[in-house]
Amino acid sequence: MLSIALAGKPNAGKSTFYTAATMADVEVGNYPFTTIDANRGVSHVRTRCPCLDRDQRCGNDNCHDGKRYVPIELLDVAGLVPGAHEGRGLGNQFLDELTNADAILHVVDASGGTNEEGEPVEVGSHDPVEDLDFIEEEMDRWLASIVERNWESIVRQSRSPDFDIDDSLTEMLTGVGATELDVARVLRRVDYPAAPRQWTDEDRQRLAAEIRTETKPIIVVANKADIAPEENIDRLRDAAETVIPATADGELALRRAVEAGVVDYDPGDDDFDIVGDVSDPQEDGLERIREVMAEWGGTGVQRALDTVVYDVLDQITAYPVQNETKWTDASGNVLPDAHLLPDGSTPKDLAYAVHSDIGEGYLHAVDAREKRRIGEDTELEEGDVIKIVSSAK
């Protein structure tokens, strides 16, 4: 399961975002370090279900009338403050938790209502653009400190006649969440001395920054967009490559209203219907959320998750079935499972995603839409329904 981490300074709204996206009970408070221990929960990305191409909907619990929700892991950890790489706040704990995340949503208080330490201030008095760079800087410095701590070991290894610096760097960096392929890509584009003793602090810092860029893509969630001065959103968009305006409070209110049976809404919709009895203050609150959704095309919470998974991480959704005619598993469930795979994945990759034994015993695959066998090297596309034929049971 893909893991997405929520990063940001304290009190930017990470825990509210997490609660809205997972509907898990966590402490939410208007003070720094509400979150101490990391929260891990299951959220979902939204995509088009293939059942829309059939006469009837699939009936899967994760399909809402053709809106398919695919599970991912969402991680909410302690807020990060400047100096976190030196242990300020709960920085070391926070940074350690990020090592296994596939990508990061940087939740920024777009309203400017909290200072750089996460302490409440008057809305608009803090420049949220100033919060953008420090997450990357803290991660870079933290990774550089890890490289520095391990450098003497690499120097000792270099005395061996069969020493290979690329192998040593790969062994070290896979310990902080990088894959061998990640390290290989970075080393191809970075110039560095072959002898470890010739490396400078700048060489190690450059390596750390490149590894972070390769392994921890970051997009910005401009949270509290419902109370943010409009120019703050514009300036954030000018300053960062990908910015999603959001109201985590609004999303949480809608999901709780759905649970109460008073609102008809699916995560990621750009509007909702009031279907139950609400008080005048509740209706006023819901109408304010509707206005924000109309401006930004939704609350932004689902869009942020979808953007980081499908656009930044370049994932596709594939659906394995056992019956290529009915699109069912052995129990007759229609489109029972959805798997996220990197763009360019093949039927054999899907087989391994289902189960390692299925992958080991892979024989061939059938495109259930076309009712034809496809090659092992065929690149799957978003929404493909595939029958895997394997010697494994």
Side-chain angles (χ1 to χ4, degrees), residues 271-286:
D271 201 357
F272 59 89
D273 293 319
I274 300 176
V275 296
D277 294 331
V278 295
S279 66
D280 289 342
Q282 288 173 327
E283 183 174 2
D284 289 343
L286 288 170

Side-chain angles (χ1 to χ4, degrees), residues 47-126:
T47 189
R48 179 185 186 275
C49 186
C51 72
L52 288 170
D53 299 323
R54 299 175 68 88
D55 293 335
Q56 293 182 323
R57 303 291 73 80
C58 63
N60 190 285
D61 289 343
N62 283 331
C63 179
H64 300 179
D65 195 27
K67 307 166 190 174
R68 187 69 178 231
Y69 292 89
V70 187
I72 59 171
E73 180 185 56
L74 193 61
L75 176 66
D76 171 37
V77 296
L80 196 63
V81 295
H85 68 284
E86 298 173 338
R88 281 202 69 232
L90 297 173
N92 288 335
Q93 173 183 323
F94 177 97
L95 293 165
D96 284 342
E97 292 284 358
L98 288 180
T99 55
N100 293 319
D102 294 292
I104 295 170
L105 295 177
H106 181 185
V107 181
V108 173
D109 178 2
S111 76
T114 46
N115 64 19
E116 64 275 4
E117 301 286 340
E119 300 163 338
V121 295
E122 183 179 353
V123 169
S125 63
H126 177 74

